[in-house]
Amino acid sequence: MPRLGLDVDQYLRTQVLPTVWCPGCGNGNTVEGLATAFARMDVDPTQVVVVGGIGCSGRTPFYVKTNAMHTTHGRALAYATGLKMAQPKLTVVVTMGDGDALAIGGNHFIHAARRNIDLTVILYNNGIYGMTGGQEAPTTPLGSRTTTSLTGSIERTFDTVEIALAAGATYVARTTTFDMQEIPLRIEEAITHPGFAVVEVLSQCPTYYGRLNQIGDTTDMLVWERDRTEGLPVKMANRQELLGELKTGVFRNEKSVEFTKAYSDLCARVGGSYGLS
Amino acid sequence: MPRLGLDVDQYLRTQVLPTVWCPGCGNGNTVEGLATAFARMDVDPTQVVVVGGIGCSGRTPFYVKTNAMHTTHGRALAYATGLKMAQPKLTVVVTMGDGDALAIGGNHFIHAARRNIDLTVILYNNGIYGMTGGQEAPTTPLGSRTTTSLTGSIERTFDTVEIALAAGATYVARTTTFDMQEIPLRIEEAITHPGFAVVEVLSQCPTYYGRLNQIGDTTDMLVWERDRTEGLPVKMANRQELLGELKTGVFRNEKSVEFTKAYSDLCARVGGSYGLS
Amino acid sequence: MASVERDQIRIRLAGKGGQGIMLGGAILAEAAMLDGLRVAETQEYGPEARLGATKADLIISNRQIAFPEVHKADFLLCLSRPAYLRYAKTVAEDGLMIAEKILREEMGDSPNVVYLPLRASALSLGNELYTNIIGLAALAAFSGAVTKESLENSVRSRVKAETVLANFAALDLGYKLAEEADSSRLVSAAASKLSR
Amino acid sequence: MASVERDQIRIRLAGKGGQGIMLGGAILAEAAMLDGLRVAETQEYGPEARLGATKADLIISNRQIAFPEVHKADFLLCLSRPAYLRYAKTVAEDGLMIAEKILREEMGDSPNVVYLPLRASALSLGNELYTNIIGLAALAAFSGAVTKESLENSVRSRVKAETVLANFAALDLGYKLAEEADSSRLVSAAASKLSR
Amino acid sequence: MSPTPGANKQRLVMGNEAVALGAIAGGCDFFAGYPITPATEILEEMGKMLPARGGVFLQMEDELSAIAAVIGAAWGGAVAMTATSGPGFSLMQENLGYASITQTPCVIVDAQRGGPSTGLPTLASQGDVMQARFGSHGDRPTLVITASSVNDCYESTALAFRMARKHRLPVVLLIDAVVAHMREPVELPPPPPPQKASYPKIEEDTPRFGDVPFVPFGHGPVTVVTGLSHQANGLAETQRGVHTEQMMRTTIQNILSDPEIRRSWVSAYQLDDAEIAIAAYGITARSAREAVDVLREDGIKAGLLDLKVLWPFPNQILRETADKVSMIVVPELNLGQIVLPLKAAVEGRAEVHSLNLADGTLLTPEDIAEFSAKQRKSTKEAANA
Amino acid sequence: MSPTPGANKQRLVMGNEAVALGAIAGGCDFFAGYPITPATEILEEMGKMLPARGGVFLQMEDELSAIAAVIGAAWGGAVAMTATSGPGFSLMQENLGYASITQTPCVIVDAQRGGPSTGLPTLASQGDVMQARFGSHGDRPTLVITASSVNDCYESTALAFRMARKHRLPVVLLIDAVVAHMREPVELPPPPPPQKASYPKIEEDTPRFGDVPFVPFGHGPVTVVTGLSHQANGLAETQRGVHTEQMMRTTIQNILSDPEIRRSWVSAYQLDDAEIAIAAYGITARSAREAVDVLREDGIKAGLLDLKVLWPFPNQILRETADKVSMIVVPELNLGQIVLPLKAAVEGRAEVHSLNLADGTLLTPEDIAEFSAKQRKSTKEAANA
Amino acid sequence: MNTLTIKLGEKAPQRIGAETVVRYEQNGASLTLRRKYCKSCVLCVDACPAKILQLDQDDLIYVTDISKCVFCGACAGRCPDFVFIVDSGKGEK
Amino acid sequence: MNTLTIKLGEKAPQRIGAETVVRYEQNGASLTLRRKYCKSCVLCVDACPAKILQLDQDDLIYVTDISKCVFCGACAGRCPDFVFIVDSGKGEK
Ligand SMILES: Cc1ncc(C[n+]2csc(CCOP(=O)(O)OP(=O)(O)O)c2C)c(N)n1
Ligand SMILES: Cc1ncc(C[n+]2csc(CCOP(=O)(O)OP(=O)(O)O)c2C)c(N)n1
Ligand code: SF4
Ligand code: SF4
Ligand code: SF4
Ligand code: SF4
Ligand code: SF4
Ligand code: SF4
Ligand SMILES: [Mg+2]
Ligand SMILES: [Mg+2]
């Protein structure tokens, strides 16, 4: 019940609603979660930039009433890295689809994680390419039907959490639109975390994933989402236990040298005064 | 002593020797290891393609007397994926530098691993960009000097093994040019392995890494290489034990559905007859 | 039908995402093809088309079709409110709009609009999804752009086998609605365009 | 020195990777600059240059330098075998090659080559790395392209402080070798080029 | 161009589908791609057809890898293609150059949408016309074919494959969002049965590069392929790229003299007695054709030069046309692209006027007719003044 | 161009180093790049200078991310640049289009090497001249500046920054392997102290796009930036890109009428009484200059038109030149690129002859002189016949 | 947007315009519907424990009987399109 | 390449050309040096347990005293440039 008592609307660009998203699409829930997190944190919208990639979910920046940067397919994190480095005091949130973040954008994802730069990634994982009409994504569950795997996907599936952890992200969480109350909490934790933070939101695409895999109506998709995940005690999940399962929870929440901080120190070492100081 | 009793020369394109590599560069040891593995396996050179990226190490295909494909920076695995899919009976070995494989080519690396396509990657990790003159690589040990981090690198370091494992590679090993006898063994295992196999070879770049970090002469670099690694019992290393250390050994050697096989099955399902069958 | 003398008929089908506009366009185009006519069909794509107003345009002619888009429609089928708001103005001066009856309340009457209870009729057939087919049939009736026979054949080839009969019933209903509504305009609207 | 009348002197320094050709080029160019001359220096780059034959080209002139590369060299300094094999033919007909003496055995004598024991002299100074500086000095002596003073100033600004004196000794040695070898050709070779 | 109406085996086919069918007709047995509007249906169609034929269909992680996989596949002996739109085409440019320097036969379809950047993803443009020729760094021989109808899509794709294999180069098929998504009735032959491409036998010392046939890996002695400048045997020449320059010049000549290219270069409509030529291509040629009719109804002798092969640009044909007409009108859905080589070819022999639109909508026949009439009028007035 | 010899504060500087110094002089406080020959030293120099000035130096994972970071940084308020060579420039094309459509001021240096593909990594070329204009999909306003000396490198880079910021667009500086690595004595002012760029105050309803000043994030009310066609307030217009088309046309006009561009466009040498004009740019202009001297020694009145700003192409200047000479010779280190817009501009007013070389070596003064003399002779003979 | 307030016991008009915001009130609590954002996905309909949400003939959401509303917020939580504003009147923070 | 064979006890000539392959023999075992591949890195020099490898005045590798060679192959293993072929004469596989 994110709205009760919070002025979430102040963080929504209501003039462009309704969104372009399909009826029942989960993207709106995550946007609501993001706006709710902003409301909880009472951020100054002029000091926040939401950077989006290209895809249905990539349109998020249009709907959140902060600064918005809708970039190119796959490159959002590279844009965000430059932006954050140029003005390290800005809060930068990056919203990407699974294809955007992990197919074409996979390289920037692992490198931003490696640097542990203080960005918050919200990765909308609907297991498919929504915007272009239902093609296979690297996150498409094995055997699922997509318009490019009509007889069932034969490509193995990326586990966002595993990749993020291996690449060096210091905050990694997964939740779902079924667990919509969790979304703002995870996002708030992620934004507050000083380092590279990833919140994966499993989200329903009724139009393509749902229809192609005959999951049923929009509510059936939520049920399916619930059934394929199993919450972990939220505090901290032990990675080893997860293999083979798609659990939700917080998988890492660790402090490590953050990149703008490291850069600031480097500048100081050679006599320069960087924006942070 | 790779040469004893084996006609390694038949797999070397001696007409183009000496190599372009600097005196004392470790790349030649890995080439020797690759040629030795070919000799041990007695491969038909016309049925092998060595695909290289761009970088000092990317020149490997020129020196190995099999089919050679010297591609573009970072894309070798994408070329190799198309090649392997088109003619699945070919043996395809992909040689890349650390920058090539993990900086510009990081995305293809994780996706080829995800698909578990039957390619063998030999990743020459010298912790630096050799070809372009000593810039920082994603594998540059933290604090090292490079021409783009003259006061010491502040970027965190990729662990090739961790990334390969998280992305889904089914054979993952690390060795060094100090342990040069191991190189052909690991390469042979990797080629024989039916799936995506990665052999990381820690290799010395005396010209840049060595000189910038004042490691000493070429032999000193080998000693340094020995000192920073610690062999694991070769059979199988438990991943958990490794955190924070750079061990050598075999980290995974598992069977899982290989991609050309999965594709062949898909074709069969819809009535097509694919090259494998 | 004076198919030999006519030059070209410009048709626009408009609705919102999920109303089967794309399928309608394909069916009508194929019907024209089966009638031995030339046809070019184009559609609106993209995310906006999934939700908001979307359209399919057809040019049907007995000569080669050069420019393939419809700027002024001889016939516009309009199934939804956003489509009405966006495309009403694209009907040619002597063109005809066939619109969902629910819209009359808000939009009001005007001489070149015929409101038909398309959705209600579809629901009477048991499924709102027949709305587009009923509308298509009505449009065919008013425009004379394609023969009913071809329309049936085209529908048969594009819908699931088990729904063919229901779709045929939807076609009948569409023709009937058109006749009942304003039989004076049937076909003649088309004929007027064709005698250039 | 007839620096005012001369037009341009084209110099090529050639050796193999690690022999300090790039540094030599920079030193010579800076010396020319300090002499108030115009200069353009270009070098060979890339992996091949690290190992095999590599070169630096200088045009030194008292007028604006347009084309910056050397195709026929008035003076070629040649430090290694691969460089000899590759660049010997790029000496101008009336040009002069100053070559490492070890190469004489294999390459043999010819009228426009002066062999000097550059490497041996460097070793006599305690480090093979002075070879390039000795060669540079010899080349300066033969060509008269730059003054010794400027050469010293340039060397001072480009080498580590603790090696300045040793490098000055290397310069002296180079001048001496040139004088001893063939003092008749000193400067005049250059002069002949300059009185166009 | 369009088949006879009412013929027997007509099917209603979308432009993108026709591209896929044309590819199969051209022998294509490998597709690697990445979805993008408005080219996605080509990918989806290939994904339906190829596995059933034992061919390879791959959805790659991005466009960089899609074209790389295509080139790799070609060297694996496949007849390979990819399809994309502007943003993806931009990403392919580096490796397109690799296909050129390694003389790799393959086909790239660019279904143009509004640009730059994400631009107008669902709308048509002709903004990639110069990019198709000059988008990659360095020089390279290029062959760029267009299509303005569904039937064209089929024919042009098949032609692209024939030329790619004959001249050993990446061939670009340029269509646009409207043609890609347009459905028209066409009558197409049934797809040929799957067939592995065959290659000539070669010896150890047979040259592999230059004006010689393409032989992939595994079909003879070992071969060296590199994106560095190289000699005929494939080994690098890094000090001076004489062989590679020569190869490029030869390929350009070979394409220029190819009889099929010469036949397909342009198609004329009402041009014989025209005083105004409208030079157009792709979707705009359709508007231009109607504009010619409109102008002629108004008594202005207009004609259409429909440019079917854009690159190499038909210089000679344009010069000859310019000698016959007084004015050439060049309508394009961009800010003025093909008008550049056209003006360069015409060298002042006729007035050239550009009509440009880049907002994602089409130039209508009326737009073109009106513009042409206006230009003609102002020229006449200038002459009389 | 070159400073007076013997002056006091001369330093021997490499072209790439001068670019870096010029960038600092132009206010640059952000560099993101990826190493590549022959542009690497620009990266390395920026890496040395920026941290000490509190600016940002980033080595990114590839060129795609380098330009993306630069654009992101510009929106973060930085004065940003990247530097690369052909292969990297090809990879940047998609996001270069993003910089254009979002009117983002930034500078991209392309130090050209032999292409296509990996080509001739250490050798010079002028093969990216058309790519710099047309390499990205869709249309966009472009400004491309060249340099032929170390001093030029400095001046042109600073100019690039001025123009990028004034006209809100990505500006390309095109140099080549020889200029990049050449050392010449130059006399440069000391680098200005670090300074944060300042931006005008804006209100909620101030238009952010179109012919209005650039204001980055964090410097006023919230802003929406998108690579889709958009309105003045930044919100997308996906049904018809009227605002974006208008913005592009306006920017093009603004550049064309910029007094500094008009001043810098070309530089002439011995052109006043010339009967042959040699139109050249970059490193080739140096050879051409010497060729002019050679030709004049042989009694042929030649002159040089050194093209300093390639895009927008100086059409009017070329037309005027063509009216005065009988022949224009266009030497280029490619297979013929700038000759295309040149011919289009000249429209037959003078003969135009292309001299091309693409093997990584330079055209020498003798090559150009000889070619010019030969063309002149054959034209004379043709006239007499 | 013009707002139509419907108090407990009041009946909504036969047809509510798409642009109209409807505010249902019940003893200090309120439920506001921004109908023009509604996409008819019925997620809220399925989620409402009181079963009082339905689509009207314009396919837009409305409340059949506000007296049964328990102000649980399930509708607001589930709706992906920002249609609902739920105020239980208890002044939560 | 022309090969120069030096048997046990024989002395190498003062100067061996760079292009010459040198084959040192000792009781059926042999050590072959393809000197033109040598880059003077001295990895082999440091690795040789018998300390019999050195660079000559051309900076190319040669054997000072083949009689001390134990045919351990360390040189071949360490050399990154394919200079050595070691044959212990024992016909290993
Ligand atoms: C370079 C490039 N390639 C392809 C596209 C087309 N495209 C747009 S969105 C998208 C993928 C959408 O999938 P995802 O990232 O999962 O986002 P979703 O729509 O599912 O939220 C693609 C392939 C593009 N815009 N740019
Ligand atoms: C697209 C592109 N960007 C940059 C380069 C320049 N480049 C060549 S090799 C290389 C990196 C070399 O490093 P690595 O991959 O580690 O190989 P190494 O030389 O160390 O073996 C770079 C950046 C290029 N060739 N192409
Ligand atoms: S296509 Fe799927 S992801 Fe995209 S808006 Fe529709 S439901 Fe959502
Ligand atoms: S630069 Fe380094 S990696 Fe490259 S050849 Fe030299 S030593 Fe080897
Ligand atoms: S607040 Fe609860 S009871 Fe009231 S309408 Fe919403 S879901 Fe139903
Ligand atoms: S959940 Fe929202 S969008 Fe869906 S029907 Fe309910 S109110 Fe409408
Ligand atoms: S074989 Fe062993 S002993 Fe003989 S030279 Fe080589 S390293 Fe020395
Ligand atoms: S290791 Fe090889 S290259 Fe190095 S010195 Fe010895 S023989 Fe020469
Ligand atoms: Mg998705
Ligand atoms: Mg490396």
Side-chain angles (χ1 to χ4, degrees), chain A residues 95-242:
Chain A
T95 63
M96 297 181 285
D98 45 349
D100 198 39
L102 296 175
I104 192 169
N107 206 30
H108 313 304
F109 186 78
I110 59 178
H111 282 275
R114 177 172 67 85
R115 293 189 189 99
N116 194 31
I117 182 165
D118 187 18
L119 301 172
T120 295
V121 168
I122 303 176
L123 197 157
Y124 297 60
N125 183 353
N126 55 9
I128 207 159
Y129 287 9
M131 177 68 98
T132 44
Q135 296 78 30
E136 182 160 358
T139 46
T140 299
L142 205 67
S144 302
R145 294 184 73 227
T146 71
T147 64
T148 47
S149 64
L150 287 169
T151 61
S153 164
I154 61 166
E155 300 209 7
R156 291 150 97 233
T157 311
F158 264 152
D159 183 327
T160 309
V161 168
E162 290 286 311
I163 299 278
L165 293 173
T170 47
Y171 176 94
V172 181
R174 177 188 284 136
T175 184
T176 79
T177 49
F178 175 82
D179 309 294
M180 83 284 176
Q181 302 94 329
E182 256 184 46
I183 301 175
L185 307 179
R186 292 294 91 79
I187 293 176
E188 185 177 348
E189 280 171 20
I191 294 176
T192 314
H193 174 79
F196 190 76
V198 179
V199 179
E200 179 182 28
V201 182
L202 299 182
S203 180
Q204 74 274 24
C205 171
T207 302
Y208 294 109
Y209 192 87
R211 204 182 286 169
L212 284 160
N213 293 284
Q214 299 181 299
I215 290 183
D217 73 13
T218 50
T219 298
D220 294 331
M221 283 217 73
L222 284 179
V223 173
W224 171 79
E225 217 166 62
R226 183 196 65 198
D227 291 350
R228 68 192 281 243
T229 57
E230 186 193 318
L232 282 186
V234 164
K235 260 274 139 288
M236 186 64 50
N238 177 325
R239 232 171 110 199
Q240 278 316 98
E241 290 174 17
L242 299 181

